[in-house]
């Protein structure tokens, strides 16, 4: 089979695998069996006469030939989707931007930016999804997202080692904060001293792997007592409100904390900075992408944060 005869189904499967990072996740997202996905990938690689996906223990990564196919496949699939909209009688959108964001950014940043865009660009459509930073980076590389809001912690390495590097812009850089039950003794002041974090109970982000200590203050000089684990940031904050322990939060979430929670800066020791990044592929952005990026920058600057602790 010549590559010009590759089916749209194969292109969609190829994009899904590159986007999701594994054959299993792509199969689940498409409603296919894993063997069906494998067959489609084998067919498109035979037609290309080259390996398009590098199989690794932690998933797949596009090869140079795969990046060529993905760039062209994204254009083809987007045009097919636009044609389907026209044929179904839907009005042409003034512009569509595919946006991804890490979980806590959806609590404050996204609503602010989208509210502003409805006022300034009512014809602009923003569609997208929440995901982890690695998943969002894969989606950018696969061409299924135009922009992604990413989280970054010291030492602030690039989000991946692919070439060419992603275009990154820092939206904000703020100190990590602490969520404390309003009835907790540490909630009485306007900040928490790092020395007072010893002996506290913590609500962590996950129970296994490297994520186990997410939610515990970095560099704590003792083995922390993990009272609960939860992936969802809102669940963690509700556990804090219930008096079950403390957890770390980005400063951006201060205004979204539920009743019964105080979000406070921490004094003492090195400041634990966190960056909010806006990422895209390194090619000239379209005008709709520029308008969405501008709204996100404005929302990030305007987002309130806890006051800095005294020196």
């Amino acid at each position: 089979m010549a590559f010009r005869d590759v089916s749209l189904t194969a292109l969609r499967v190829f994009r899904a695998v590159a986007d999701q990072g594994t054959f299993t996740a792509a199969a689940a997202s498409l409603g296919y069996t894993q063997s069906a996905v494998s067959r489609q990938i084998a067919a498109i690689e035979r037609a290309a006469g080259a390996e398009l996906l590098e199989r690794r223990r932690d998933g797949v990564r596009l090869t140079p030939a795969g990046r060529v196919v993905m760039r062209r496949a994204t254009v083809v699939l987007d045009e097919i989707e636009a044609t389907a909209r026209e044929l179904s009688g839907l009005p042409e959108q003034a512009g569509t931007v595919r946006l991804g964001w890490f979980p806590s950014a959806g609590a404050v940043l996204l609503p602010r930016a989208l509210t502003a865009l409805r006022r300034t660009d009512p014809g602009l459509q923003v569609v997208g999804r929440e995901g982890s930073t690695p998943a969002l980076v894969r989606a950018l590389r696969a061409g299924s997202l135009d922009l992604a809001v990413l989280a970054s912690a010291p030492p602030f390495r690039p989000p991946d080692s692919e070439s060419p590097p992603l275009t990154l812009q820092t939206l904000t850089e703020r100190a990590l904060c602490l969520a404390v039950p309003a009835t907790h003794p540490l909630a009485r002041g306007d900040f928490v001293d790092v020395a007072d974090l010893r002996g506290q109970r913590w609500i962590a982000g996950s129970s296994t792997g490297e994520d186990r200590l997410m939610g515990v203050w970095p560099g704590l000089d003792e083995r922390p007592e993990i009272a609960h684990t939860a992936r969802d940031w809102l669940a963690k904050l509700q556990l804090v409100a219930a008096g079950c322990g403390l957890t770390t939060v980005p400063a951006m979430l201060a205004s979204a904390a539920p009743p019964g929670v105080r979000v406070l800066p921490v004094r003492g020791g090195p400041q634990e900075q966190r960056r909010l990044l806006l990422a895209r592929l390194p090619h000239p952005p379209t005008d709709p992408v520029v308008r969405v990026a501008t709204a996100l920058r404005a929302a990030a600057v305007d987002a309130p944060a806890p006051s800095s602790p005294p020196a």
Side-chain angles (χ1 to χ4, degrees):
M1 180 179 66
F3 195 82
R4 65 175 60 90
D5 298 322
V6 165
S7 69
L8 289 175
T9 297
L11 292 178
R12 290 191 181 97
V13 170
F14 176 61
R15 183 166 71 172
V17 173
D19 184 355
Q20 298 291 331
T22 67
F23 282 49
T24 301
S29 71
L30 294 169
Y32 292 174
T33 64
Q34 188 168 340
S35 60
V37 168
S38 297
R39 286 195 298 272
Q40 292 290 343
I41 296 301
I44 197 171
E45 287 187 324
R46 282 197 303 272
E51 187 178 68
L52 304 181
L53 295 168
E54 178 187 351
R55 280 74 164 173
R56 299 151 55 99
R57 286 187 176 182
D58 58 349
V60 299
R61 185 167 68 177
L62 289 170
T63 64
R67 287 195 289 271
V68 171
V69 173
M70 183 56 62
R71 184 172 65 250
R72 299 296 187 181
T74 296
V75 173
V76 170
L77 293 172
D78 286 349
E79 285 298 319
I80 290 294
E81 290 167 6
T83 301
R85 286 197 300 269
E86 289 187 47
L87 291 174
S88 66
L90 292 177
E92 184 66 24
Q93 297 291 339
T96 299
V97 176
R98 300 163 301 172
L99 175 66
W101 58 88
F102 71 96
S104 61
V108 176
L109 181 69
L110 263 295
R112 287 175 178 272
L114 295 179
T115 298
L117 282 168
R118 281 197 296 271
R119 293 195 303 266
T120 61
D121 294 276
L124 183 62
Q125 183 182 31
V126 179
V127 296
R129 63 173 185 267
E130 175 185 288
S132 66
T133 288
L136 296 175
V137 169
R138 287 196 302 269
L140 282 172
R141 293 290 185 189
S144 59
L145 289 179
D146 301 304
L147 284 172
V149 180
L150 310 178
S152 182
F156 302 121
R157 297 187 180 93
D160 72 357
S161 58
E162 296 283 344
S163 182
L166 295 173
T167 295
L168 302 174
Q169 181 178 32
T170 298
L171 297 177
T172 62
E173 182 172 334
R174 293 177 175 172
L176 190 66
C177 292
L178 195 70
V180 182
T183 56
H184 196 285
L186 293 179
R188 295 170 185 166
D190 294 326
F191 61 90
V192 175
D193 196 296
V194 70
D196 292 331
L197 297 182
R198 299 187 85 255
Q200 301 294 336
R201 289 161 54 86
W202 297 92
I203 299 164
S206 179
S207 59
T208 60
E210 294 181 358
D211 290 342
R212 186 177 190 278
L213 297 184
M214 285 184 65
V216 177
W217 188 256
L220 195 67
D221 61 348
E222 65 175 355
R223 183 179 179 85
E225 179 185 353
I226 307 298
H228 299 280
T229 61
R231 291 184 179 274
D232 180 69
W233 68 268
L234 181 58
K236 289 197 289 185
L237 289 179
Q238 291 291 354
L239 287 169
V240 172
C244 298
L246 317 180
T247 196
T248 58
V249 292
M252 182 176 60
L253 282 183
S255 62
V261 175
R262 290 202 67 195
V263 176
L264 298 170
V266 176
R267 183 183 71 175
Q271 284 293 296
E272 290 291 335
Q273 298 296 114
R274 295 295 184 268
R275 286 180 185 169
L276 195 65
L277 301 176
L278 189 59
R280 61 176 175 82
L281 289 174
H283 52 62
T286 64
D287 183 62
V289 168
V290 170
R291 296 203 299 271
V292 172
T294 299
L296 288 167
R297 286 195 297 270
V301 170
D302 293 341
S307 302
S308 298

